[in-house]
Amino acid sequence: MVVLALELAPGYRQFAFDQIKRLKVLQDHGIDLVAAVPALSGDGHLRYASPRGEELRHVALVEIQGALLAVAYVDRDGICRLITARATRVAERRAYRAIHDRRDPGETGLG
């Protein structure tokens, strides 16, 4: 069983992405990276570390238009650089639901 160490991350105010990569993600996964911006700029989001070599990437688990998605990004000097987005994996959905199912139904936001 895979256990993810989820943490609450602050919302971002600035975003960047590669336009060619955005179009590839849209073509391959049917997800527009721009749609992730509101979910990552609010009160906070759940994420886990996903290092790639020397680069510390994060995967945020966010709900976008009713779907739970995994959005990979890197923080570069306070700017959220979006890398890719995809459907969540089983372990990601379980971890996300385990936290959200414990929340008070009256709560808004994650923080």
Side-chain angles (χ1 to χ4, degrees), residues 27-94:
Q27 178 183 11
D28 292 351
H29 302 285
I31 302 165
D32 190 343
L33 291 176
V34 172
V37 169
L40 296 173
S41 63
D43 293 335
H45 57 275
L46 293 174
R47 72 177 183 187
Y48 64 90
S50 180
R52 295 290 185 267
E54 297 291 316
E55 185 173 64
L56 177 57
R57 293 183 178 187
H58 290 94
V59 175
L61 304 179
V62 296
E63 291 190 50
I64 300 173
Q65 299 175 348
L68 183 58
L69 301 175
V71 180
Y73 69 91
V74 64
D75 183 312
R76 293 207 179 130
D77 298 320
I79 298 171
C80 180
R81 179 151 180 90
L82 302 171
I83 299 167
T84 192
R86 58 169 171 73
T88 51
R89 297 182 177 125
V90 172
E92 293 167 331
R93 287 191 298 276
R94 283 185 185 145

